[in-house]
Amino acid sequence: MTTTRKSDGANTALSPARAAANLKVLRTQIDKLDLQILKLINERAGLAADIGRVKTDHGTEVFSPAREEEVLKNIQDAHEKGKGPLDFETVRAVFRELMSGSRALQKVLKVAYLGPEYSYSYLAAVERFGQKVDLIKVGNIAAVFEDVNRGQVDYGVVPLENSTDGRVADTLDMFLRLPQIKIAAEIRLRIHHCLMANCEQQEIRRVYSKEQALSQCRNWLSKNAPHAQLVTVSSTTVAAETAQQERGAAAVASRQAAAKYGLRILFENIEDSPYNETRFAVISLQKERQAKSGNDKTAVMFRIPHQPGSLVEALDIFKQNKINLTWIESFPAKVAKPEYVFFVDFEGHAEDPKVSRALKALQEHCEEVNVLGSFPMAMASG
Protein backbone atom coordinates (compact mmCIF):
# COMPACT_ATOMS: atom_id res chain seq x y z
CA MET A 1 0.00 0.00 0.00
CA THR A 2 1.36 3.46 -0.90
CA THR A 3 1.53 5.85 2.05
CA THR A 4 2.44 9.46 2.69
CA ARG A 5 3.46 11.14 5.94
CA LYS A 6 1.31 13.87 7.55
CA SER A 7 2.88 16.77 9.42
CA ASP A 8 1.98 15.14 12.76
CA GLY A 9 3.96 12.00 11.80
CA ALA A 10 1.00 9.69 11.08
CA ASN A 11 0.90 7.55 7.90
CA THR A 12 -2.07 7.92 5.57
CA ALA A 13 -2.71 5.77 2.51
CA LEU A 14 -2.76 7.53 -0.87
CA SER A 15 -5.55 6.78 -3.25
CA PRO A 16 -4.50 4.90 -6.43
CA ALA A 17 -5.21 8.02 -8.52
CA ARG A 18 -3.07 10.24 -6.25
CA ALA A 19 -0.24 7.69 -6.21
CA ALA A 20 -0.29 7.50 -10.02
CA ALA A 21 -0.21 11.29 -10.23
CA ASN A 22 2.81 11.44 -7.88
CA LEU A 23 4.65 8.83 -9.95
CA LYS A 24 3.97 10.79 -13.12
CA VAL A 25 5.44 13.97 -11.58
CA LEU A 26 8.57 12.14 -10.38
CA ARG A 27 9.08 10.42 -13.73
CA THR A 28 8.71 13.73 -15.55
CA GLN A 29 11.48 15.16 -13.35
CA ILE A 30 13.67 12.16 -14.14
CA ASP A 31 13.05 12.60 -17.88
CA LYS A 32 14.17 16.23 -17.66
CA LEU A 33 17.29 15.27 -15.73
CA ASP A 34 18.09 12.54 -18.27
CA LEU A 35 18.08 15.10 -21.07
CA GLN A 36 20.37 17.39 -19.05
CA ILE A 37 22.74 14.50 -18.34
CA LEU A 38 22.76 13.56 -22.02
CA LYS A 39 23.58 17.14 -23.02
CA LEU A 40 26.47 17.30 -20.51
CA ILE A 41 27.82 13.89 -21.57
CA ASN A 42 27.96 15.00 -25.19
CA GLU A 43 29.59 18.31 -24.26
CA ARG A 44 32.23 16.40 -22.28
CA ALA A 45 32.78 14.00 -25.18
CA GLY A 46 33.27 16.94 -27.53
CA LEU A 47 36.00 18.32 -25.28
CA ALA A 48 37.60 14.85 -25.13
CA ALA A 49 37.65 14.79 -28.93
CA ASP A 50 39.40 18.20 -28.92
CA ILE A 51 41.98 16.80 -26.50
CA GLY A 52 42.47 13.86 -28.84
CA ARG A 53 43.31 16.16 -31.73
CA VAL A 54 45.89 17.98 -29.59
CA LYS A 55 47.42 14.63 -28.56
CA THR A 56 47.55 13.49 -32.19
CA ASP A 57 49.35 16.67 -33.22
CA HIS A 58 51.98 16.14 -30.51
CA GLY A 59 52.25 12.32 -30.75
CA THR A 60 51.00 11.83 -27.18
CA GLU A 61 49.58 8.50 -25.96
CA VAL A 62 45.78 8.25 -25.87
CA PHE A 63 45.74 6.35 -22.56
CA SER A 64 46.71 8.63 -19.67
CA PRO A 65 46.51 6.70 -16.36
CA ALA A 66 47.54 9.72 -14.27
CA ARG A 67 44.76 11.89 -15.71
CA GLU A 68 42.12 9.15 -15.41
CA GLU A 69 43.04 8.51 -11.76
CA GLU A 70 42.85 12.26 -11.15
CA VAL A 71 39.33 12.37 -12.62
CA LEU A 72 38.17 9.43 -10.48
CA LYS A 73 39.74 10.92 -7.33
CA ASN A 74 37.99 14.25 -7.95
CA ILE A 75 34.68 12.44 -8.45
CA GLN A 76 35.20 10.35 -5.31
CA ASP A 77 35.95 13.42 -3.18
CA ALA A 78 32.89 15.25 -4.52
CA HIS A 79 30.71 12.16 -4.03
CA GLU A 80 31.81 11.73 -0.42
CA LYS A 81 31.10 15.40 0.33
CA GLY A 82 27.70 15.27 -1.36
CA LYS A 83 26.63 12.06 0.43
CA GLY A 84 24.34 10.94 -2.41
CA PRO A 85 22.28 7.75 -2.24
CA LEU A 86 24.45 5.86 -4.78
CA ASP A 87 27.51 3.93 -3.62
CA PHE A 88 30.81 5.06 -5.16
CA GLU A 89 31.34 1.80 -7.08
CA THR A 90 28.21 2.60 -9.09
CA VAL A 91 29.35 6.17 -9.73
CA ARG A 92 32.85 4.93 -10.62
CA ALA A 93 31.43 2.48 -13.18
CA VAL A 94 29.48 5.30 -14.88
CA PHE A 95 32.55 7.50 -15.19
CA ARG A 96 34.75 4.57 -16.23
CA GLU A 97 32.50 3.93 -19.23
CA LEU A 98 32.26 7.64 -19.98
CA MET A 99 36.06 7.87 -20.11
CA SER A 100 36.23 4.66 -22.12
CA GLY A 101 33.84 6.00 -24.75
CA SER A 102 35.62 9.37 -24.85
CA ARG A 103 38.99 7.63 -25.25
CA ALA A 104 37.58 5.60 -28.14
CA LEU A 105 36.77 8.85 -29.98
CA GLN A 106 40.54 9.29 -30.19
CA LYS A 107 41.49 5.64 -30.75
CA VAL A 108 39.99 2.21 -29.99
CA LEU A 109 42.75 0.57 -27.98
CA LYS A 110 43.67 -3.10 -28.36
CA VAL A 111 44.19 -4.76 -24.97
CA ALA A 112 45.37 -8.35 -24.49
CA TYR A 113 44.41 -10.27 -21.35
CA LEU A 114 44.67 -13.79 -19.93
CA GLY A 115 41.41 -15.34 -21.10
CA PRO A 116 38.83 -16.61 -21.42
CA GLU A 117 36.06 -14.05 -21.00
CA TYR A 118 34.79 -13.47 -17.45
CA SER A 119 38.08 -14.59 -15.92
CA TYR A 120 39.37 -12.21 -13.28
CA SER A 121 41.96 -10.89 -15.74
CA TYR A 122 39.07 -10.04 -18.07
CA LEU A 123 37.24 -8.26 -15.24
CA ALA A 124 40.42 -6.35 -14.38
CA ALA A 125 40.82 -5.23 -18.01
CA VAL A 126 37.22 -3.98 -18.09
CA GLU A 127 37.68 -2.26 -14.73
CA ARG A 128 40.68 -0.33 -16.07
CA PHE A 129 39.70 0.33 -19.69
CA GLY A 130 35.90 0.01 -19.81
CA GLN A 131 33.95 -1.64 -22.62
CA LYS A 132 34.96 0.62 -25.53
CA VAL A 133 38.23 -1.19 -26.27
CA ASP A 134 39.12 -4.21 -28.35
CA LEU A 135 39.72 -6.89 -25.71
CA ILE A 136 41.83 -9.75 -27.06
CA LYS A 137 41.96 -12.97 -25.03
CA VAL A 138 45.07 -15.14 -25.09
CA GLY A 139 45.91 -18.47 -23.51
CA ASN A 140 48.71 -17.60 -21.08
CA ILE A 141 50.65 -14.76 -19.50
CA ALA A 142 53.61 -15.17 -21.85
CA ALA A 143 51.30 -14.61 -24.83
CA VAL A 144 50.14 -11.28 -23.36
CA PHE A 145 53.76 -10.11 -23.18
CA GLU A 146 54.54 -11.38 -26.67
CA ASP A 147 51.53 -9.61 -28.21
CA VAL A 148 52.61 -6.35 -26.57
CA ASN A 149 56.23 -6.84 -27.62
CA ARG A 150 55.28 -7.46 -31.26
CA GLY A 151 53.04 -4.40 -31.33
CA GLN A 152 49.93 -6.47 -32.03
CA VAL A 153 48.16 -4.76 -29.12
CA ASP A 154 48.54 -1.41 -27.41
CA TYR A 155 48.46 -2.76 -23.86
CA GLY A 156 48.31 -6.00 -21.92
CA VAL A 157 46.81 -6.85 -18.53
CA VAL A 158 48.66 -9.44 -16.41
CA PRO A 159 48.31 -10.50 -12.75
CA LEU A 160 51.22 -9.36 -10.62
CA GLU A 161 50.42 -10.54 -7.10
CA ASN A 162 47.50 -11.66 -4.96
CA SER A 163 46.88 -11.22 -1.28
CA THR A 164 46.72 -14.97 -0.55
CA ASP A 165 49.60 -16.53 -2.49
CA GLY A 166 51.81 -13.52 -3.25
CA ARG A 167 53.72 -13.11 -6.50
CA VAL A 168 52.64 -14.47 -9.88
CA ALA A 169 55.83 -16.18 -11.04
CA ASP A 170 54.93 -16.31 -14.75
CA THR A 171 54.63 -12.51 -14.86
CA LEU A 172 57.97 -11.89 -13.13
CA ASP A 173 59.64 -14.39 -15.44
CA MET A 174 58.41 -12.52 -18.52
CA PHE A 175 59.75 -9.21 -17.21
CA LEU A 176 63.15 -10.92 -17.11
CA ARG A 177 62.76 -12.32 -20.63
CA LEU A 178 61.43 -9.07 -22.14
CA PRO A 179 62.96 -6.23 -20.10
CA GLN A 180 61.81 -3.67 -22.68
CA ILE A 181 58.21 -4.17 -21.51
CA LYS A 182 57.18 -1.56 -18.95
CA ILE A 183 54.34 -1.02 -16.48
CA ALA A 184 52.02 1.81 -17.50
CA ALA A 185 49.44 1.41 -14.72
CA GLU A 186 48.24 -0.91 -11.99
CA ILE A 187 44.80 -2.35 -11.24
CA ARG A 188 43.73 -3.44 -7.76
CA LEU A 189 40.72 -5.73 -8.04
CA ARG A 190 38.89 -7.05 -5.00
CA ILE A 191 38.24 -10.71 -5.67
CA HIS A 192 34.87 -12.04 -4.54
CA HIS A 193 34.32 -15.73 -5.21
CA CYS A 194 30.94 -17.46 -5.50
CA LEU A 195 30.05 -21.15 -5.30
CA MET A 196 27.75 -21.86 -8.24
CA ALA A 197 26.03 -24.95 -9.57
CA ASN A 198 22.81 -26.26 -11.09
CA CYS A 199 22.30 -28.70 -8.23
CA GLU A 200 21.81 -28.45 -4.48
CA GLN A 201 24.72 -28.08 -2.08
CA GLN A 202 24.43 -31.65 -0.77
CA GLU A 203 24.56 -33.05 -4.33
CA ILE A 204 27.94 -31.49 -5.17
CA ARG A 205 30.60 -34.12 -5.85
CA ARG A 206 33.27 -31.99 -7.54
CA VAL A 207 34.24 -28.33 -7.28
CA TYR A 208 36.15 -26.88 -10.23
CA SER A 209 38.25 -23.74 -10.31
CA LYS A 210 41.65 -22.24 -10.97
CA GLU A 211 44.29 -23.29 -8.43
CA GLN A 212 44.60 -19.81 -6.92
CA ALA A 213 40.83 -19.46 -6.51
CA LEU A 214 40.57 -22.80 -4.70
CA SER A 215 43.47 -21.74 -2.48
CA GLN A 216 41.71 -18.49 -1.59
CA CYS A 217 38.61 -20.44 -0.48
CA ARG A 218 40.25 -23.52 1.03
CA ASN A 219 38.92 -23.06 4.60
CA TRP A 220 35.37 -22.28 3.46
CA LEU A 221 35.31 -25.27 1.12
CA SER A 222 36.64 -27.64 3.78
CA LYS A 223 33.75 -26.65 6.06
CA ASN A 224 30.94 -26.39 3.51
CA ALA A 225 31.87 -28.95 0.85
CA PRO A 226 34.00 -31.44 2.79
CA HIS A 227 33.12 -34.46 0.64
CA ALA A 228 33.58 -32.75 -2.72
CA GLN A 229 36.69 -33.34 -4.83
CA LEU A 230 38.54 -30.11 -5.65
CA VAL A 231 39.59 -30.11 -9.31
CA THR A 232 41.91 -27.47 -10.78
CA VAL A 233 41.29 -26.15 -14.29
CA SER A 234 42.91 -23.41 -16.38
CA SER A 235 40.53 -20.60 -15.37
CA THR A 236 37.48 -19.79 -13.28
CA THR A 237 35.52 -19.35 -16.52
CA VAL A 238 36.36 -22.89 -17.62
CA ALA A 239 35.23 -24.01 -14.15
CA ALA A 240 31.83 -22.34 -14.63
CA GLU A 241 31.43 -23.83 -18.10
CA THR A 242 32.25 -27.30 -16.74
CA ALA A 243 29.76 -26.93 -13.89
CA GLN A 244 27.08 -26.04 -16.43
CA GLN A 245 27.68 -29.26 -18.37
CA GLU A 246 28.49 -31.81 -15.67
CA ARG A 247 26.04 -33.30 -13.20
CA GLY A 248 27.00 -32.94 -9.55
CA ALA A 249 29.61 -30.29 -10.38
CA ALA A 250 30.07 -26.83 -8.92
CA ALA A 251 32.47 -23.99 -9.66
CA VAL A 252 34.24 -21.26 -7.75
CA ALA A 253 34.11 -18.21 -9.98
CA SER A 254 32.80 -14.66 -10.30
CA ARG A 255 29.18 -13.52 -10.24
CA GLN A 256 29.59 -12.49 -13.89
CA ALA A 257 30.63 -16.04 -14.84
CA ALA A 258 27.51 -17.42 -13.13
CA ALA A 259 25.31 -15.08 -15.19
CA LYS A 260 27.17 -15.98 -18.40
CA TYR A 261 26.67 -19.73 -17.97
CA GLY A 262 23.25 -19.72 -16.33
CA LEU A 263 24.38 -21.16 -12.99
CA ARG A 264 22.71 -20.62 -9.65
CA ILE A 265 24.82 -18.85 -7.06
CA LEU A 266 24.57 -21.02 -3.94
CA PHE A 267 26.90 -18.89 -1.79
CA GLU A 268 28.53 -15.49 -2.27
CA ASN A 269 31.81 -14.08 -0.93
CA ILE A 270 33.25 -17.46 0.03
CA GLU A 271 36.87 -16.23 -0.02
CA ASP A 272 38.59 -16.85 3.33
CA SER A 273 39.95 -13.30 3.62
CA PRO A 274 37.61 -10.30 3.48
CA TYR A 275 40.57 -8.37 2.03
CA ASN A 276 41.12 -10.76 -0.87
CA GLU A 277 42.65 -8.78 -3.72
CA THR A 278 44.72 -9.28 -6.87
CA ARG A 279 46.97 -6.60 -8.28
CA PHE A 280 47.37 -6.47 -12.04
CA ALA A 281 49.90 -4.62 -14.19
CA VAL A 282 48.99 -2.80 -17.39
CA ILE A 283 52.02 -3.42 -19.60
CA SER A 284 53.19 -1.69 -22.78
CA LEU A 285 56.15 -0.84 -24.96
CA GLN A 286 56.19 2.51 -23.21
CA LYS A 287 57.50 5.29 -25.45
CA GLU A 288 57.27 8.04 -22.88
CA ARG A 289 57.36 8.23 -19.09
CA GLN A 290 53.94 8.45 -17.47
CA ALA A 291 53.08 11.89 -16.09
CA LYS A 292 53.18 12.47 -12.35
CA SER A 293 49.85 12.21 -10.58
CA GLY A 294 51.08 13.25 -7.12
CA ASN A 295 50.27 9.79 -5.76
CA ASP A 296 52.60 7.48 -7.66
CA LYS A 297 54.58 4.27 -7.43
CA THR A 298 57.77 3.27 -9.20
CA ALA A 299 58.63 -0.36 -9.97
CA VAL A 300 62.22 -1.58 -10.39
CA MET A 301 63.97 -4.89 -10.86
CA PHE A 302 67.66 -5.17 -9.95
CA ARG A 303 70.44 -7.76 -9.68
CA ILE A 304 73.09 -7.33 -7.00
CA PRO A 305 76.62 -8.69 -6.58
CA HIS A 306 76.65 -12.22 -5.15
CA GLN A 307 78.35 -11.34 -1.88
CA PRO A 308 77.41 -10.85 1.79
CA GLY A 309 75.56 -7.64 2.61
CA SER A 310 74.69 -6.68 -0.98
CA LEU A 311 70.94 -6.79 -0.46
CA VAL A 312 71.11 -4.90 2.83
CA GLU A 313 73.19 -2.18 1.16
CA ALA A 314 70.73 -1.94 -1.74
CA LEU A 315 67.73 -1.63 0.57
CA ASP A 316 69.56 0.91 2.73
CA ILE A 317 69.56 3.25 -0.29
CA PHE A 318 65.77 3.51 0.02
CA LYS A 319 65.98 4.07 3.77
CA GLN A 320 68.57 6.84 3.38
CA ASN A 321 66.30 8.63 0.89
CA LYS A 322 63.21 8.14 3.08
CA ILE A 323 61.42 6.09 0.41
CA ASN A 324 58.74 3.65 1.52
CA LEU A 325 58.88 0.22 -0.15
CA THR A 326 55.44 -1.23 -0.91
CA TRP A 327 56.49 -4.60 -2.40
CA ILE A 328 59.60 -6.77 -2.65
CA GLU A 329 60.06 -10.17 -4.29
CA SER A 330 63.09 -12.28 -5.18
CA PHE A 331 63.27 -14.36 -8.35
CA PRO A 332 66.01 -16.61 -9.83
CA ALA A 333 68.13 -14.69 -12.34
CA LYS A 334 68.63 -15.98 -15.89
CA VAL A 335 72.38 -16.38 -15.40
CA ALA A 336 74.69 -19.33 -14.83
CA LYS A 337 75.51 -18.38 -11.23
CA PRO A 338 72.91 -18.97 -8.48
CA GLU A 339 71.87 -15.32 -8.32
CA TYR A 340 68.55 -13.61 -7.76
CA VAL A 341 66.80 -10.63 -9.26
CA PHE A 342 64.77 -8.49 -6.87
CA PHE A 343 61.51 -6.83 -7.84
CA VAL A 344 60.48 -3.83 -5.74
CA ASP A 345 57.97 -1.06 -6.00
CA PHE A 346 57.89 1.98 -3.80
CA GLU A 347 56.13 5.28 -3.24
CA GLY A 348 57.11 8.13 -5.53
CA HIS A 349 57.72 8.94 -9.18
CA ALA A 350 61.04 8.52 -11.01
CA GLU A 351 61.11 12.29 -11.56
CA ASP A 352 60.86 13.06 -7.83
CA PRO A 353 64.27 14.32 -6.60
CA LYS A 354 64.65 11.75 -3.83
CA VAL A 355 63.59 8.88 -6.11
CA SER A 356 65.97 10.08 -8.81
CA ARG A 357 68.83 10.12 -6.26
CA ALA A 358 67.94 6.63 -5.05
CA LEU A 359 67.82 5.19 -8.56
CA LYS A 360 71.21 6.68 -9.38
CA ALA A 361 72.71 5.18 -6.22
CA LEU A 362 71.07 1.84 -6.95
CA GLN A 363 72.59 1.76 -10.44
CA GLU A 364 76.04 2.38 -8.96
CA HIS A 365 75.61 -0.44 -6.44
CA CYS A 366 73.89 -3.11 -8.56
CA GLU A 367 75.08 -5.19 -11.48
CA GLU A 368 71.83 -4.52 -13.34
CA VAL A 369 68.89 -2.14 -12.82
CA ASN A 370 65.73 -1.89 -14.91
CA VAL A 371 63.13 0.73 -14.07
CA LEU A 372 59.83 -0.91 -15.02
CA GLY A 373 57.87 2.32 -14.81
CA SER A 374 56.25 4.98 -12.66
CA PHE A 375 52.47 4.94 -12.47
CA PRO A 376 49.57 6.19 -10.32
CA MET A 377 48.64 4.21 -7.24
CA ALA A 378 45.31 2.61 -8.02
CA MET A 379 42.27 2.55 -5.77
CA ALA A 380 40.97 -0.92 -4.94
CA SER A 381 37.72 -1.64 -6.77
CA GLY A 382 35.29 -4.42 -7.42
PDB file of all heavy atoms in Angstrom, residues 325-340:
ATOM      1  N   LEU A 325      59.097   1.368   0.739  1.00  0.00           N
ATOM      2  CA  LEU A 325      58.884   0.223  -0.151  1.00  0.00           C
ATOM      3  C   LEU A 325      57.488  -0.340   0.075  1.00  0.00           C
ATOM      4  O   LEU A 325      57.036  -0.495   1.212  1.00  0.00           O
ATOM      5  CB  LEU A 325      59.921  -0.867   0.119  1.00  0.00           C
ATOM      6  CG  LEU A 325      61.388  -0.542  -0.186  1.00  0.00           C
ATOM      7  CD1 LEU A 325      62.266  -1.749   0.137  1.00  0.00           C
ATOM      8  CD2 LEU A 325      61.568  -0.161  -1.646  1.00  0.00           C
ATOM      9  N   THR A 326      56.788  -0.668  -0.998  1.00  0.00           N
ATOM     10  CA  THR A 326      55.440  -1.228  -0.908  1.00  0.00           C
ATOM     11  C   THR A 326      55.386  -2.692  -1.332  1.00  0.00           C
ATOM     12  O   THR A 326      54.372  -3.350  -1.140  1.00  0.00           O
ATOM     13  CB  THR A 326      54.469  -0.408  -1.785  1.00  0.00           C
ATOM     14  OG1 THR A 326      55.001  -0.293  -3.111  1.00  0.00           O
ATOM     15  CG2 THR A 326      54.283   0.986  -1.215  1.00  0.00           C
ATOM     16  N   TRP A 327      56.476  -3.213  -1.936  1.00  0.00           N
ATOM     17  CA  TRP A 327      56.489  -4.603  -2.396  1.00  0.00           C
ATOM     18  C   TRP A 327      57.925  -5.012  -2.681  1.00  0.00           C
ATOM     19  O   TRP A 327      58.697  -4.221  -3.225  1.00  0.00           O
ATOM     20  CB  TRP A 327      55.648  -4.732  -3.674  1.00  0.00           C
ATOM     21  CG  TRP A 327      55.450  -6.125  -4.193  1.00  0.00           C
ATOM     22  CD1 TRP A 327      54.964  -7.214  -3.527  1.00  0.00           C
ATOM     23  CD2 TRP A 327      55.693  -6.582  -5.541  1.00  0.00           C
ATOM     24  NE1 TRP A 327      54.891  -8.300  -4.358  1.00  0.00           N
ATOM     25  CE2 TRP A 327      55.330  -7.932  -5.606  1.00  0.00           C
ATOM     26  CE3 TRP A 327      56.176  -5.955  -6.689  1.00  0.00           C
ATOM     27  CZ2 TRP A 327      55.435  -8.684  -6.773  1.00  0.00           C
ATOM     28  CZ3 TRP A 327      56.278  -6.703  -7.849  1.00  0.00           C
ATOM     29  CH2 TRP A 327      55.911  -8.058  -7.884  1.00  0.00           C
ATOM     30  N   ILE A 328      58.287  -6.238  -2.296  1.00  0.00           N
ATOM     31  CA  ILE A 328      59.603  -6.768  -2.651  1.00  0.00           C
ATOM     32  C   ILE A 328      59.486  -8.269  -2.858  1.00  0.00           C
ATOM     33  O   ILE A 328      58.842  -8.969  -2.069  1.00  0.00           O
ATOM     34  CB  ILE A 328      60.678  -6.447  -1.587  1.00  0.00           C
ATOM     35  CG1 ILE A 328      62.040  -7.021  -2.008  1.00  0.00           C
ATOM     36  CG2 ILE A 328      60.269  -6.927  -0.200  1.00  0.00           C
ATOM     37  CD1 ILE A 328      63.202  -6.523  -1.169  1.00  0.00           C
ATOM     38  N   GLU A 329      60.059  -8.753  -3.949  1.00  0.00           N
ATOM     39  CA  GLU A 329      60.065 -10.174  -4.286  1.00  0.00           C
ATOM     40  C   GLU A 329      61.431 -10.548  -4.858  1.00  0.00           C
ATOM     41  O   GLU A 329      62.059  -9.746  -5.554  1.00  0.00           O
ATOM     42  CB  GLU A 329      58.987 -10.505  -5.333  1.00  0.00           C
ATOM     43  CG  GLU A 329      57.569 -10.497  -4.817  1.00  0.00           C
ATOM     44  CD  GLU A 329      57.225 -11.710  -3.966  1.00  0.00           C
ATOM     45  OE1 GLU A 329      58.040 -12.653  -3.922  1.00  0.00           O
ATOM     46  OE2 GLU A 329      56.136 -11.714  -3.361  1.00  0.00           O
ATOM     47  N   SER A 330      61.878 -11.750  -4.558  1.00  0.00           N
ATOM     48  CA  SER A 330      63.095 -12.276  -5.184  1.00  0.00           C
ATOM     49  C   SER A 330      62.710 -13.314  -6.223  1.00  0.00           C
ATOM     50  O   SER A 330      61.675 -13.986  -6.092  1.00  0.00           O
ATOM     51  CB  SER A 330      64.016 -12.901  -4.138  1.00  0.00           C
ATOM     52  OG  SER A 330      63.393 -13.997  -3.502  1.00  0.00           O
ATOM     53  N   PHE A 331      63.560 -13.440  -7.256  1.00  0.00           N
ATOM     54  CA  PHE A 331      63.267 -14.359  -8.347  1.00  0.00           C
ATOM     55  C   PHE A 331      64.598 -14.830  -8.941  1.00  0.00           C
ATOM     56  O   PHE A 331      65.523 -14.025  -9.088  1.00  0.00           O
ATOM     57  CB  PHE A 331      62.428 -13.658  -9.426  1.00  0.00           C
ATOM     58  CG  PHE A 331      61.681 -14.595 -10.311  1.00  0.00           C
ATOM     59  CD1 PHE A 331      60.527 -15.221  -9.875  1.00  0.00           C
ATOM     60  CD2 PHE A 331      62.130 -14.865 -11.598  1.00  0.00           C
ATOM     61  CE1 PHE A 331      59.831 -16.090 -10.696  1.00  0.00           C
ATOM     62  CE2 PHE A 331      61.442 -15.734 -12.421  1.00  0.00           C
ATOM     63  CZ  PHE A 331      60.285 -16.350 -11.964  1.00  0.00           C
ATOM     64  N   PRO A 332      64.731 -16.122  -9.280  1.00  0.00           N
ATOM     65  CA  PRO A 332      66.008 -16.606  -9.829  1.00  0.00           C
ATOM     66  C   PRO A 332      66.397 -15.866 -11.105  1.00  0.00           C
ATOM     67  O   PRO A 332      65.589 -15.706 -12.020  1.00  0.00           O
ATOM     68  CB  PRO A 332      65.726 -18.084 -10.113  1.00  0.00           C
ATOM     69  CG  PRO A 332      64.595 -18.443  -9.212  1.00  0.00           C
ATOM     70  CD  PRO A 332      63.756 -17.210  -9.109  1.00  0.00           C
ATOM     71  N   ALA A 333      67.643 -15.408 -11.163  1.00  0.00           N
ATOM     72  CA  ALA A 333      68.134 -14.694 -12.339  1.00  0.00           C
ATOM     73  C   ALA A 333      68.428 -15.665 -13.470  1.00  0.00           C
ATOM     74  O   ALA A 333      68.704 -16.843 -13.245  1.00  0.00           O
ATOM     75  CB  ALA A 333      69.399 -13.914 -11.982  1.00  0.00           C
ATOM     76  N   LYS A 334      68.352 -15.157 -14.710  1.00  0.00           N
ATOM     77  CA  LYS A 334      68.627 -15.985 -15.888  1.00  0.00           C
ATOM     78  C   LYS A 334      70.125 -15.960 -16.215  1.00  0.00           C
ATOM     79  O   LYS A 334      70.537 -15.594 -17.309  1.00  0.00           O
ATOM     80  CB  LYS A 334      67.810 -15.471 -17.083  1.00  0.00           C
ATOM     81  CG  LYS A 334      66.316 -15.451 -16.852  1.00  0.00           C
ATOM     82  CD  LYS A 334      65.738 -16.832 -16.649  1.00  0.00           C
ATOM     83  CE  LYS A 334      64.224 -16.785 -16.479  1.00  0.00           C
ATOM     84  NZ  LYS A 334      63.650 -18.113 -16.231  1.00  0.00           N
ATOM     85  N   VAL A 335      70.931 -16.327 -15.210  1.00  0.00           N
ATOM     86  CA  VAL A 335      72.381 -16.379 -15.400  1.00  0.00           C
ATOM     87  C   VAL A 335      72.888 -17.712 -14.861  1.00  0.00           C
ATOM     88  O   VAL A 335      72.180 -18.427 -14.143  1.00  0.00           O
ATOM     89  CB  VAL A 335      73.088 -15.206 -14.681  1.00  0.00           C
ATOM     90  CG1 VAL A 335      72.693 -13.878 -15.297  1.00  0.00           C
ATOM     91  CG2 VAL A 335      72.780 -15.215 -13.178  1.00  0.00           C
ATOM     92  N   ALA A 336      74.133 -18.036 -15.215  1.00  0.00           N
ATOM     93  CA  ALA A 336      74.690 -19.327 -14.828  1.00  0.00           C
ATOM     94  C   ALA A 336      74.867 -19.437 -13.319  1.00  0.00           C
ATOM     95  O   ALA A 336      74.652 -20.494 -12.722  1.00  0.00           O
ATOM     96  CB  ALA A 336      76.024 -19.549 -15.538  1.00  0.00           C
ATOM     97  N   LYS A 337      75.285 -18.352 -12.668  1.00  0.00           N
ATOM     98  CA  LYS A 337      75.510 -18.381 -11.226  1.00  0.00           C
ATOM     99  C   LYS A 337      74.169 -18.396 -10.478  1.00  0.00           C
ATOM    100  O   LYS A 337      73.160 -17.922 -10.988  1.00  0.00           O
ATOM    101  CB  LYS A 337      76.325 -17.153 -10.820  1.00  0.00           C
ATOM    102  CG  LYS A 337      77.742 -17.139 -11.370  1.00  0.00           C
ATOM    103  CD  LYS A 337      78.492 -15.904 -10.912  1.00  0.00           C
ATOM    104  CE  LYS A 337      77.954 -14.640 -11.569  1.00  0.00           C
ATOM    105  NZ  LYS A 337      78.772 -13.456 -11.208  1.00  0.00           N
ATOM    106  N   PRO A 338      74.157 -18.936  -9.259  1.00  0.00           N
ATOM    107  CA  PRO A 338      72.908 -18.969  -8.479  1.00  0.00           C
ATOM    108  C   PRO A 338      72.595 -17.595  -7.891  1.00  0.00           C
ATOM    109  O   PRO A 338      72.738 -17.355  -6.706  1.00  0.00           O
ATOM    110  CB  PRO A 338      73.215 -19.997  -7.389  1.00  0.00           C
ATOM    111  CG  PRO A 338      74.694 -19.893  -7.182  1.00  0.00           C
ATOM    112  CD  PRO A 338      75.263 -19.593  -8.547  1.00  0.00           C
ATOM    113  N   GLU A 339      72.177 -16.674  -8.741  1.00  0.00           N
ATOM    114  CA  GLU A 339      71.870 -15.319  -8.316  1.00  0.00           C
ATOM    115  C   GLU A 339      70.370 -15.051  -8.418  1.00  0.00           C
ATOM    116  O   GLU A 339      69.640 -15.776  -9.097  1.00  0.00           O
ATOM    117  CB  GLU A 339      72.649 -14.301  -9.155  1.00  0.00           C
ATOM    118  CG  GLU A 339      74.151 -14.365  -8.952  1.00  0.00           C
ATOM    119  CD  GLU A 339      74.866 -13.250  -9.690  1.00  0.00           C
ATOM    120  OE1 GLU A 339      74.183 -12.426 -10.319  1.00  0.00           O
ATOM    121  OE2 GLU A 339      76.109 -13.217  -9.629  1.00  0.00           O
ATOM    122  N   TYR A 340      69.961 -13.976  -7.778  1.00  0.00           N
ATOM    123  CA  TYR A 340      68.552 -13.612  -7.760  1.00  0.00           C
ATOM    124  C   TYR A 340      68.365 -12.176  -8.251  1.00  0.00           C
ATOM    125  O   TYR A 340      69.212 -11.312  -8.035  1.00  0.00           O
ATOM    126  CB  TYR A 340      67.966 -13.754  -6.350  1.00  0.00           C
ATOM    127  CG  TYR A 340      67.702 -15.186  -5.966  1.00  0.00           C
ATOM    128  CD1 TYR A 340      68.733 -15.998  -5.505  1.00  0.00           C
ATOM    129  CD2 TYR A 340      66.435 -15.735  -6.106  1.00  0.00           C
ATOM    130  CE1 TYR A 340      68.506 -17.322  -5.164  1.00  0.00           C
ATOM    131  CE2 TYR A 340      66.181 -17.053  -5.773  1.00  0.00           C
ATOM    132  CZ  TYR A 340      67.218 -17.842  -5.310  1.00  0.00           C
ATOM    133  OH  TYR A 340      66.984 -19.162  -4.989  1.00  0.00           O
TER     134      TYR A 340
END
